[in-house]
């Protein structure tokens, strides 16, 4: 049976002990938005294993001299990077599923700077449009 790292199972006293911190420190981090646990129906905090790991990381950064505001910003940026990496993976998978025939597109640029998509085999009008072929990297004729 696999353990779900996101399952909020630890009460504040257990999470504090696992993170080697005082429960009041966890309350302060929650108020500051550094580590925000889930809430049980009675409004009590419930921490997941991921929250405990994050608390340990906060403690490590704090011991290295990073301010709480700096720690908060670091965690935000790490979350943003993780979200962007997930999005890149999704888009890469989508590109892999696309048929290769759609990967090459031909555009023409008009004299006024407008961009027009051309059908395969069609040439741009003389002197009013310039031919531009777009192909993703790694795609050859």
């Amino acid at each position: 049976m696999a353990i779900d790292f996101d399952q909020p199972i630890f009460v504040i006293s257990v999470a504090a002990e696992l993170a080697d911190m005082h429960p009041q420190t966890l309350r302060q981090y929650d108020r500051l938005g550094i580590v925000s646990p889930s809430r049980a129906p009675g409004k009590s905090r419930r921490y997941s294993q991921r929250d405990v790991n994050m608390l340990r990381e906060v403690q490590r950064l704090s011991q290295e001299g990073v301010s709480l505001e700096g720690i908060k910003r670091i965690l935000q940026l790490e979350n943003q990077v993780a979200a962007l990496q997930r999005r890149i993976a999704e888009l890469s998978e989508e590109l892999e599923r696309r048929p290769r025939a759609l990967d090459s597109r031909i555009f023409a640029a008009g004299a006024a700077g407008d961009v027009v998509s051309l059908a395969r085999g069609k040439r741009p009008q003389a002197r009013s449009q310039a031919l531009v072929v777009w192909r993703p990297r790694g795609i050859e004729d």
Side-chain angles (χ1 to χ4, degrees):
M1 184 170 136
I3 297 174
D4 183 3
F5 272 17
D6 295 315
Q7 183 68 33
I9 55 176
F10 304 117
V11 295
I12 192 167
S13 59
V14 174
E17 187 174 331
L18 289 171
D20 197 27
M21 296 179 173
H22 192 277
Q24 194 59 35
T25 305
L26 275 63
R27 290 183 188 95
Q28 180 184 10
Y29 290 167
D30 186 14
R31 278 192 301 276
L32 294 173
I34 295 174
V35 178
S36 299
S38 298
R39 297 287 181 156
K43 299 280 186 180
S44 63
R45 293 170 176 89
R46 296 283 189 230
Y47 291 83
S48 66
Q49 184 61 52
R50 188 174 312 281
D51 293 331
V52 172
N53 292 346
M54 195 178 311
L55 288 166
R56 289 179 183 151
E57 178 67 8
V58 169
Q59 184 178 48
R60 185 187 67 77
L61 289 169
S62 180
Q63 288 172 348
E64 290 179 2
V66 180
S67 70
L68 291 179
E69 204 53 45
I71 291 170
K72 183 176 179 179
R73 185 69 177 137
I74 288 169
L75 294 176
Q76 288 171 342
L77 291 171
E78 286 177 348
N79 289 335
Q80 187 177 14
V81 167
L84 290 171
Q85 288 172 335
R86 285 190 301 273
R87 183 67 177 140
I88 288 170
E90 290 171 7
L91 292 172
S92 295
E93 288 174 13
E94 184 179 326
L95 273 176
E96 289 298 318
R97 289 191 304 265
R98 282 187 171 187
R100 290 289 179 199
L102 298 177
D103 285 341
S104 180
R105 296 187 183 152
I106 300 174
F107 298 93
D114 54 325
V115 177
V116 180
S117 180
L118 297 176
R120 276 194 179 280
K122 185 177 177 188
R123 296 278 177 202
Q125 296 173 3
R127 295 189 184 176
S128 65
Q129 298 174 331
L131 180 65
V132 178
V133 178
W134 175 81
R135 288 185 184 91
R137 290 185 186 158
I139 303 296
E140 297 181 24
D141 286 332

